[in-house]
Amino acid sequence: MAAWLDVVCIISVGALVIFSNKKGIFNIKGLSNNGLVITRILSTLPLTVLLYCLRECDEQRSQNENLIKEIVKINAQNDKLHEEKTTLKRELNELEQEFDLLGVVPEKVWKTIRQIEVGFVLNINSRHPEVLVDSAASQVRFVGNTQGPDRWYCVTGSQELSRNHYWEVEVGEKSSWAIGVVTKEIKEKNIISESTDDEFWIIRLCRGKKLEAVQSSTVTELQKSPKKVGVYLKGNLLSFYDVETRQRIHNFHIECSGPLFAVFSPGSRDKGPLILKAKGF
């Protein structure tokens, strides 16, 4: 700012001297009466420039004050938006807790889960001889004798499950079936047996009446039998859902750190199919 004022003063004085010489008002070699007047005028020039600068500063200060007011206003709006966001997040959490108590998955969350649905390559080498997998690898049937005790012959997916995996199985009106997750040992034996120490986490329907959640030798009776089951493995949590209602059927917390495989058992009470989305053999 000081350098700018010096330039203004020098230019102004120079202009007045040149003008005075041309008009004979001011002689550089000697001062006339008129020259004295001009000298007095020139002596007031810094004050004029100062007043001009003060006016400019005042305008700048006014602009700064307006800018500060605008910033304060914007900050207030941001604070309000933050409060509204916090309130909406709290209400959403409360709503999700209510859904969780009811066992119903919110539609938006359900759509997100179903977007990662995958098909399976079924491992025919893990298929029990009395389990038939059709040529499209999308239906699994029991082809043995339907009399006698429940038998849980099975087939598994050929690949190890990731810990973020979702798939669906249509069980329809079948009177017996079992689906879920098993360890490598059951994959090699082709049967889900409660008499061993093998680890598995399944839900199953027995004789068309009793729906059970089974974790190895632990059996929990469930209430409702679905027509189509969604299975979601996320981390160590395995969840089963009724696809038609988005209702959670059961949860398992899996502590096994080894490889896990999807398992499909058509049961032994009927010869109807389990229908699944498959990629082929």
Side-chain angles (χ1 to χ4, degrees):
M1 179 65 75
W4 180 79
L5 287 175
D6 290 341
V7 172
V8 171
C9 290
I10 292 171
I11 293 174
S12 301
V13 171
L16 284 172
V17 169
I18 293 172
F19 177 78
S20 300
N21 278 332
K22 286 184 178 181
K23 299 296 183 177
I25 297 173
F26 182 68
N27 189 337
I28 297 178
K29 294 180 180 180
L31 294 176
S32 64
N33 290 333
N34 289 336
L36 291 173
V37 173
I38 294 301
T39 301
R40 292 194 182 104
I41 293 174
L42 288 176
S43 67
T44 64
L45 183 60
L47 179 60
T48 304
V49 173
L50 178 60
L51 292 174
Y52 174 79
C53 292
L54 289 174
R55 187 182 66 183
E56 287 293 313
C57 290
D58 187 60
E59 291 179 358
Q60 185 65 44
R61 183 169 57 251
S62 178
Q63 291 177 1
N64 290 342
E65 289 175 354
N66 291 335
L67 182 60
I68 291 172
K69 290 179 181 178
E70 192 66 27
I71 292 173
V72 170
K73 182 180 178 181
I74 292 173
N75 287 337
Q77 291 175 343
N78 288 338
D79 291 341
K80 184 178 180 181
L81 287 174
H82 180 72
E83 290 177 3
E84 291 176 351
K85 181 180 178 181
T86 302
T87 301
L88 287 173
K89 187 175 181 179
R90 184 180 66 254
E91 291 176 350
L92 179 61
N93 289 335
E94 291 174 355
L95 186 59
E96 288 179 348
Q97 289 175 5
E98 291 180 11
F99 274 119
D100 191 58
L101 290 173
L102 294 172
V104 178
V105 182
E107 186 174 357
K108 186 176 181 179
V109 177
W110 184 243
K111 287 181 179 179
T112 301
I113 292 174
R114 296 191 77 187
Q115 285 176 354
I116 64 171
E117 181 185 3
V118 295
F120 279 97
V121 177
L122 295 180
N123 185 4
I124 58 174
N125 295 325
S126 73
R127 175 181 62 86
H128 190 276
E130 294 188 30
V131 172
L132 175 67
V133 180
D134 74 347
S135 58
S138 61
Q139 295 189 8
V140 179
R141 299 173 184 269
F142 175 68
V143 292
N145 187 348
T146 57
Q147 303 300 315
D150 287 315
R151 287 150 288 165
W152 305 105
Y153 304 140
C154 62
V155 61
T156 65
S158 62
Q159 296 180 343
E160 177 184 346
L161 292 170
S162 72
R163 290 302 176 112
N164 188 28
H165 221 110
Y166 176 80
W167 63 100
E168 294 179 354
V169 184
E170 186 175 340
V171 297
E173 301 295 336
K174 281 181 60 58
S175 60
S176 69
W177 49 265
I179 57 178
V181 169
V182 298
T183 57
K184 186 177 180 180
E185 289 74 18
I186 290 181
K187 175 185 176 182
E188 294 172 348
K189 294 177 181 177
N190 313 324
I191 183 171
I192 304 171
S193 174
E194 296 177 48
S195 61
T196 69
D197 294 328
D198 297 330
E199 292 184 284
F200 56 87
W201 302 263
I202 64 171
I203 61 171
R204 69 186 182 191
L205 181 65
C206 304
R207 304 189 180 189
K209 299 178 181 180
K210 189 166 59 174
L211 183 65
E212 299 174 333
V214 188
Q215 179 177 353
S216 298
S217 58
T218 303
V219 180
T220 304
E221 189 169 344
L222 305 175
Q223 298 298 318
K224 184 181 178 182
S225 179
K227 299 294 187 295
K228 191 173 186 179
V229 181
V231 188
Y232 185 30
L233 177 63
K234 185 174 178 62
N236 293 326
L237 182 65
L238 178 65
S239 303
F240 296 87
Y241 299 97
D242 184 330
V243 173
E244 295 178 346
T245 63
R246 306 197 312 272
Q247 187 91 22
R248 186 181 65 244
I249 300 171
H250 192 71
N251 284 339
F252 287 114
H253 292 276
I254 299 176
E255 296 181 359
C256 174
S257 59
L260 300 174
F261 300 87
V263 66
F264 309 90
S265 172
S268 61
R269 289 293 170 180
D270 63 66
K271 297 188 178 183
L274 290 177
I275 302 173
L276 57 143
K277 181 178 181 180
K279 295 179 181 178
F281 291 98

